[in-house]
Amino acid sequence: MRPFTIAVPQADLDDLHRRLADTRWPSALPGDGWERGVPLDYLKELADYWRTGFDWRAVEARINQYPQFITEIDGTDVHFLHVRSPEPDATPLIMTHGWPGSFAEYLDVIGPLTDPRSHGGDPSQAFHLVIPSLPGFGFSGPVPEAGWNVGRIAAAWGELMSSLGYERYLVHGGDLGVWTSLTLAAMRPEQVAGAHVTFLLTPPSGDPAELAALDAQDLGRLQQMVDFMQTKGAYMHVQGTRPQTLAYGLTDSPVGQLAWITEKFFEWTDAEKSPEDVVTRDQLLTNIAIYWLTGSAGTSANLYYEMADLLPIAPTPPPAAPPHPVPLGVAVYAHDASLAIRKLAEPNFPNIVQWSEFDKGGHFSALEQPELFVGDLRSFAAKLSA
């Protein structure tokens, strides 16, 4: 385990700016909106800001304020932030991002979670935070071999927490981090006191009686899940089946990488005209720049390939998992890509101690609604200690 500081070579930033300036732009139909993908005029403007206005060095300085480390686990390097609370009795919490996110999703909530006393909160609700980058994502670098699936990542997270001296802790996950967090909890229920997630897929089992028990709201959510897979799930099919082919274009073209991720920040949130309705340009570009500067478009997509049997693209649904052994908290944001249905979740998660539903926010909740995110985590932890 060694301290780590982000220091992107200036030559890499110069290369990025050159590539942005030399972009070969496609044509577009007049008046085209987001229906066919990211609008050309919007992406040109965003790319120009990335080249002339976005300050990566300021981002580096902000991130480098927090203690970062690289450690080797099971033959691969793992990058993580480890931010201890000033409150000695704080609860350890490991937080796992997904795709197309990164550890940077959580920057705005580090202060309130680790030091509530300085942010108008109750000091008894403080957390020691461990925020790793998934293997193959960002500064965790490429994995050295195939086989880095959810189970292997969860096992690595268990080793990481033990190496830091945490023998009892909470887990939080969003997107792919949900699978990692729930798998870790199932592997180590004696260490994981509870799991909190902000995205939970709850597909029906196919039992007609199960569907008959759903009310109109739940049926609407189920239809939203179907619509998502039919109209917005192409990325999952590509990354889950041909990640290497995709990698060539996204690793060579910053505008290609920009469009691939920007689309998700528009479609998976409550944005109306552009992602900037819900996140700032700098927040959006911080996340995208991490993918570009680390060349992790393809290595991050590989995780979809490794876990394809668990995703909705699988030829047959995976068998139902045994009931989850630890207390669960679920936060459902109204404009997420897919909305969880409690009646469908309960058979596999009989110990749901908190189910929160919010009328705003989407898939990137820590970025979009940091106050709601922090409050829900605090509330969940308080229920476990009551």
Side-chain angles (χ1 to χ4, degrees):
M1 191 175 295
R2 59 192 186 276
F4 176 75
T5 300
I6 300 174
V8 171
Q10 185 59 41
D12 291 357
L13 298 178
D14 294 341
D15 175 69
L16 166 64
H17 296 157
R18 177 188 62 78
R19 289 171 183 265
L20 288 169
D22 293 343
T23 299
R24 183 185 181 202
W25 293 98
S27 62
L29 293 174
D32 224 9
W34 288 84
E35 294 81 7
R36 297 175 188 266
V38 184
L40 178 61
D41 289 345
Y42 174 73
L43 200 67
K44 281 186 173 181
E45 183 182 350
L46 187 59
D48 184 65
Y49 178 78
W50 194 5
R51 183 175 64 87
T52 63
F54 178 67
D55 187 353
W56 171 257
R57 293 304 183 199
V59 171
E60 274 190 345
R62 183 189 180 195
I63 297 173
N64 287 336
Q65 294 177 19
Y66 301 109
Q68 299 172 78
F69 301 87
I70 297 283
T71 188
E72 183 179 317
I73 305 177
D74 193 13
T76 197
D77 282 343
V78 172
H79 162 258
F80 66 98
L81 276 63
H82 183 203
V83 188
R84 287 187 59 83
S85 170
E87 308 296 337
D89 296 327
T91 301
L93 169 65
I94 181 169
M95 306 173 72
T96 308
H97 66 86
W99 184 92
S102 68
F103 71 93
E105 279 184 68
Y106 299 120
L107 292 178
D108 288 345
V109 301
I110 290 175
L113 289 175
T114 58
D115 190 10
R117 190 189 298 269
S118 298
H119 292 81
D122 183 345
S124 68
Q125 295 182 320
F127 298 92
H128 298 308
L129 294 183
V130 179
I131 309 175
S133 297
L134 286 165
F137 286 68
F139 299 100
S140 281
V143 296
E145 59 189 5
W148 272 92
N149 56 21
V150 170
R152 194 165 177 181
I153 296 171
W157 277 196
E159 288 190 34
L160 174 61
M161 294 301 280
S162 293
S163 70
L164 294 172
Y166 298 132
E167 295 303 326
R168 188 73 170 163
Y169 49 88
L170 301 180
V171 298
H172 162 80
D175 192 78
L176 298 180
V178 172
W179 277 274
T180 302
S181 298
L182 295 179
T183 302
L184 174 57
M187 282 180 168
R188 297 195 175 208
E190 67 281 1
Q191 274 89 44
V192 177
H196 180 271
V197 299
T198 53
F199 178 70
L200 187 67
L201 287 177
T202 53
S205 66
D207 181 354
E210 183 181 62
L211 294 178
L214 300 181
D215 59 22
Q217 182 185 49
D218 288 339
L219 290 172
R221 291 183 173 188
L222 188 58
Q223 185 59 51
Q224 179 176 328
M225 191 184 308
V226 172
D227 292 344
F228 172 79
M229 288 308 304
Q230 290 179 341
T231 64
K232 300 177 182 178
Y235 79 97
M236 192 183 304
H237 289 265
V238 174
Q239 297 192 160
T241 59
R242 297 295 185 270
Q244 188 62 34
T245 303
L246 176 68
Y248 297 114
L250 299 190
T251 304
D252 188 60
S253 168
V255 164
Q257 181 70 92
L258 179 67
W260 192 245
I261 292 180
T262 296
E263 178 184 84
K264 308 312 171 197
F265 274 80
F266 176 75
E267 291 187 340
W268 299 357
T269 66
D270 49 359
E272 294 184 4
K273 296 182 179 179
S274 79
E276 294 158 58
D277 295 336
V278 293
V279 297
T280 68
R281 282 189 172 184
D282 284 357
Q283 287 174 319
L284 175 63
L285 289 172
T286 292
N287 189 68
I288 294 170
I290 289 172
Y291 281 84
W292 173 259
L293 294 170
T294 60
S296 53
T299 57
S300 61
N302 275 328
L303 182 52
Y304 279 82
Y305 186 91
E306 296 288 356
M307 59 183 293
D309 59 326
L310 301 176
L311 298 172
I313 63 173
T316 58
H324 203 261
V326 307
L328 177 69
V330 180
V332 182
Y333 292 84
H335 300 277
D336 205 341
S338 183
L339 300 182
I341 300 171
R342 181 162 186 168
K343 287 180 181 178
L344 299 183
E346 287 174 342
N348 289 336
F349 301 99
N351 195 10
I352 297 173
V353 299
Q354 178 168 290
W355 185 282
S356 306
E357 302 202 1
F358 300 105
D359 61 4
K360 57 185 176 180
H363 197 67
F364 309 97
S365 52
L367 271 178
E368 299 173 62
Q369 300 292 336
E371 292 184 3
L372 292 180
F373 180 91
V374 168
D376 201 65
L377 258 176
R378 288 175 176 169
S379 173
F380 174 68
K383 286 181 171 65
L384 300 183
S385 60

